[in-house]
Every structure is written in C-alpha cells, then in structure tokens.
Amino acid sequence: MVGESRVLRTAGHGGKGRAVTEQEGRAPLRVEALGDVPGAVGWRVEVVETSPSTNADLAARARDGAASGTVLVAEHQTAGRGRIDRTFHTPPRSALTFSVLLRPSAPAQQWPWLPLVTGLAARSALARQHPAVDVSLKWPNDVLVAPAAHPDEPGKVAGILAERIETPAGPAAVIGIGINTATTREELPVPTAASLRTAGVPAAAIDRTVLLREVLTDLSALLVRWERGDLADLRTSYAAACATVGRRVRVELPQGDALVGDAVDVDGAGCLVVEAGGRRHTVGAGDVIHVRPA
C-alpha cells in the first residue's frame, strides 16, 4: 500500500463559468495542485467531470489491476451509492465526491476499521480547515457538522462507503466519501443532511481542492497506523471524536429488529457497544439514530 510515485490524470475538465462557480463556492478542482499529496501512501489522483459512482468505477478498475493508492474524483456524481444500496445525487461541484483504492496487507479482521479511519481523516481535515464549525463522527460511517453557535443541531455533512472487492491480484478495498461543501439547504436530500454552507461557512472560504489534499494527507498517516495494527490508539482517537458514544441511541439492525439503549463504547473490532436492558450488546452493522433527550 505504501509507495512513492504520484501521478495525475484528468478528463473532461474545462474552466467555463469559473467566476460564477467560485462566487458560489463551486469552483472547479485545481488539478495542478493535486499532483503531489504528502504522505506515505503514493496517491495517484484522477479528476473526471462526471461519474455515476466513483466507487463502482474504481471497483471495476481494481478488478482490471489498478494500483493501490488510486484516487478517482468526480466533479459531478450522478448516482452515488451509500449503505444498503441507497443512491444520491448532488448538483455539479457542490460536493467533494471521491473514492480511494487500497490493497492492504493488514489481516481481514482489521478491515472493519477502514470506514472509521476514513471518518477520522475527514473530521480532522474539516475541523482544521473550518475551525468555527463543530465537527464530529456518527458511528459507523457519517461525519456531522454544526455551527459553533448551535453545536446541539448537527447534520450529516459526509457519508462513507467501504467495500471489499475480489480481484485477480487478491482482495482490495474501495472507500468512497462524499462531503457536502457548497450544497444549499434546498439542494440537500433530507432535512437531517448538512453542508459546509448550511453550517455557516461562507462560499468564499470553501476550497474543495485544499480539502481533498487535507483528507488524503490525514488518511495516509492514519492508514500507516492501521496497517501497523495500532488499533488501541485508533480506538481512543475515534471514541473521542464520536458523538454517538455517550448518547442514547436507536439502532436499526440488519435483520429488522431495533435496539434502544446507551452507546457506551467502540470496541477493538470497531463495533459499537450499546447498553440496553441491563446487558451490553455489540453492534457490527446497523443504522444509528441519535435519540434526543426527553
């Protein structure tokens, strides 16, 4: 997974309408600034104008032999994929949508940590770039933001989808992330969603190019720790950043049942620990709803 070469390719990238999109916080990605992202992972970044799903496209490339560290970014994702086969659509350049390809050497039992590690990278990058915004994580694959003046009203600014792909060269991981940047309230798909704009970030302060570089830089450093097996350290970092821990939650389980209780921890396998009915339950998958205090 670790390498040195960094290659940039582009497709269908024009500058028409740049003045308007910059004013709206929707400037095209600056391709020339993405060719040398620092970090141990040798990221190779490709920007395309349109993709139905960067995860699906990158999974196909993985099966065809694409290298670890390949990053596919779409200026406009027309049929993005989320968990449980959900799809979503965002206006062009109103979000940062990309997927990364990894061919890890870490054992399979560590792979459930990949969406959590990616969430940590997105959170740290967003918090560093926009310190006036309260940024937290929602287990297992969401990033939340709220204006600093209203930290009790967070919304989902980003979602993460990690997939294991079987390829002729062995298993690979494709991790997709979509971060709502300049999306307006009217453009968001559901009332619980948010964007940097709705969290109070001025359009002029939104820079998707810088944000992408920051996320990839942080993700590179976290992946080194993950490959080394430093899960206790990652667990501490994640629990501290996770708004789910310490909250009353309702977990919609894959089999259709619901578990209501107090989220008390994230365990060494990356599972959520929920205390309910006098017992501790380990949840490896499910939709989590933060229950507001009565």
Side-chain angles (χ1 to χ4, degrees):
M1 186 178 78
V2 177
E4 292 301 326
S5 61
R6 296 174 176 88
V7 180
L8 178 69
R9 301 181 297 254
T10 63
H13 215 285
K16 186 177 180 181
R18 186 177 179 86
V20 174
T21 54
E22 282 180 347
Q23 187 177 14
E24 297 171 347
R26 303 185 184 192
L29 289 162
R30 299 188 301 283
V31 175
E32 68 281 358
L34 295 170
D36 188 20
V37 179
V41 176
W43 299 119
R44 300 163 181 84
V45 183
E46 177 180 353
V47 180
V48 297
E49 193 64 30
T50 304
S51 168
S53 162
T54 56
N55 254 39
D57 287 348
L58 198 52
R61 295 189 188 191
R63 297 184 186 99
D64 290 338
S68 183
T70 300
V71 182
L72 182 63
V73 192
E75 292 279 33
H76 184 204
Q77 189 167 243
T78 57
R81 295 164 55 214
R83 293 177 62 248
I84 321 178
D85 294 326
R86 293 170 180 147
T87 61
F88 55 91
H89 165 83
T90 53
R93 297 173 181 159
S94 67
L96 177 61
T97 51
F98 66 99
S99 298
V100 304
L101 168 62
L102 304 171
R103 296 186 182 274
S105 59
Q109 59 264 33
Q110 290 183 200
W111 285 43
W113 270 98
L114 283 172
L116 281 67
V117 166
T118 305
L120 271 174
R123 178 191 177 272
S124 61
L126 284 164
R128 189 165 56 249
Q129 193 173 358
H130 302 290
V133 176
D134 184 76
V135 189
S136 60
L137 298 172
K138 179 184 174 186
W139 186 91
N141 63 342
D142 292 345
V143 185
L144 309 178
V145 296
H150 301 285
D152 57 336
E153 298 178 7
K156 177 179 174 178
V157 72
I160 298 159
L161 176 65
E163 299 181 285
R164 180 186 172 104
I165 308 298
E166 300 301 329
T167 79
V174 173
I175 309 170
I177 182 167
I179 304 175
N180 297 324
T181 51
T183 327
T184 65
R185 174 61 61 193
E186 294 73 26
E187 292 169 335
L188 290 169
V190 293
T192 53
S195 70
L196 293 177
R197 282 292 301 276
T198 65
V201 176
I206 294 174
D207 191 326
R208 293 182 305 136
T209 303
V210 172
L211 181 57
L212 177 58
R213 284 178 58 88
E214 294 286 311
V215 173
L216 291 176
T217 299
D218 288 4
L219 181 57
S220 180
L222 287 166
L223 286 171
V224 170
R225 292 162 57 187
W226 174 77
E227 284 267 26
R228 265 197 323 248
D230 295 343
L231 301 186
D233 186 32
L234 290 173
R235 176 186 175 189
T236 299
S237 299
Y238 186 86
C242 184
T244 305
V245 176
R247 290 287 300 264
R248 187 77 173 170
V249 298
R250 176 184 175 89
V251 185
E252 304 289 346
L253 301 170
Q255 61 267 32
D257 299 332
L259 176 67
V260 179
D262 298 314
V264 295
D265 200 2
V266 173
D267 71 11
C271 297
L272 186 67
V273 180
V274 178
E275 199 168 78
R279 295 177 49 212
R280 289 199 166 192
H281 305 260
T282 300
V283 179
D287 278 349
V288 174
I289 300 168
H290 290 177
V291 179
R292 289 183 176 274

